[in-house]
């Protein structure tokens, strides 16, 4: 009985260590894939095309048996390789074990910086599908176990 507090303390330390290891493993194994990039044409028209409003969907899959808390998503968005804006979402959420979460992010950009995009929208008769392929993004996701980099990906 003399060693009972020591045994309890050791067991608690082991549980904490295991939990930290599981969270780190979950963060390292997150799978991030682009869902869609959609230009909000009604809202953009309402702004007389002075601002272009768009939404991005990211699918984030946690393949391990531990949940992971997401503290923020920080992205830079590019069109034809030129940075056109950034998205910062600091709404925290949790991804459960072996689950997928769709994170919907919204942003807008000043259309003066996108003269090429506007020209292409007009030329293609507002064919958004052709334009979407020219957008890319990169950045990182901040988790409770550290930062996960996102290399430049196409939508």
């Amino acid at each position: 009985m003399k060693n009972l507090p020591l045994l309890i303390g050791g067991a608690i330390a082991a549980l904490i260590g295991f939990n930290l290891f599981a969270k780190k493993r979950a963060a390292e194994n997150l799978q991030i894939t682009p869902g869609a990039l959609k230009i909000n044409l009604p809202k953009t028209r309402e702004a007389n095309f002075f601002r272009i409003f768009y939404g991005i969907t990211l699918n984030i899959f946690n393949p391990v048996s531990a949940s992971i808390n997401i503290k923020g998503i920080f992205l830079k968005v590019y069109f034809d390789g030129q940075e056109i804006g950034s998205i910062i979402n600091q709404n925290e959420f949790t991804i459960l074990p072996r689950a997928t979460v769709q994170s919907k992010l919204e942003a807008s950009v000043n259309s003066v910086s996108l003269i090429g995009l506007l020209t292409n929208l007009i030329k293609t008769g507002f064919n958004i599908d052709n334009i979407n392929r020219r957008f890319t993004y990169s950045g990182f996701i901040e988790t409770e176990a550290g930062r996960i980099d996102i290399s430049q990906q196409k939508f």
Side-chain angles (χ1 to χ4, degrees):
M1 287 308 204
K2 201 178 201 184
N3 292 330
L4 186 59
L6 186 60
L7 288 173
I8 292 173
I12 290 172
L15 285 172
I16 291 171
F18 178 77
N19 187 41
L20 290 174
F21 174 76
K23 298 286 185 185
K24 183 166 177 45
R25 200 170 131 246
E28 290 171 347
N29 288 292
L30 283 179
Q31 297 171 11
I32 303 151
T33 56
L37 179 138
K38 293 187 179 180
I39 294 176
N40 185 334
L41 203 49
K43 201 169 180 179
T44 300
R45 279 188 182 135
E46 190 176 294
N48 294 319
F49 292 92
F50 289 114
R51 289 205 74 71
I52 296 179
F53 294 86
Y54 59 96
I56 296 173
T57 302
L58 292 181
N59 299 310
I60 308 170
F61 175 62
N62 175 11
V64 300
S65 60
S67 63
I68 184 78
N69 294 325
I70 305 297
K71 294 182 175 186
I73 300 173
F74 305 85
L75 299 176
K76 291 186 185 236
V77 180
Y78 305 87
F79 180 72
D80 280 347
Q82 177 185 355
E83 184 180 330
I84 61 166
S86 59
I87 298 173
I88 298 173
N89 180 356
Q90 292 181 299
N91 297 327
E92 292 188 25
F93 59 94
T94 299
I95 304 176
L96 297 174
R98 297 183 182 92
T100 299
V101 168
Q102 280 193 336
S103 182
K104 296 182 180 183
L105 311 167
E106 294 185 5
S108 68
V109 64
N110 184 331
S111 59
V112 173
S113 63
L114 293 176
I115 299 298
L117 173 61
L118 289 174
T119 304
N120 284 322
L121 279 172
I122 293 166
K123 283 182 183 176
T124 62
F126 296 97
N127 180 356
I128 302 301
D129 292 332
N130 182 38
I131 299 298
N132 281 353
R133 289 189 289 269
R134 297 170 65 187
F135 281 93
T136 57
Y137 68 93
S138 65
F140 64 92
I141 294 179
E142 191 70 44
T143 73
E144 65 186 314
R147 181 180 286 192
I148 307 300
D149 288 324
I150 302 171
S151 60
Q152 198 162 359
Q153 298 186 32
K154 289 188 176 195
F155 288 94

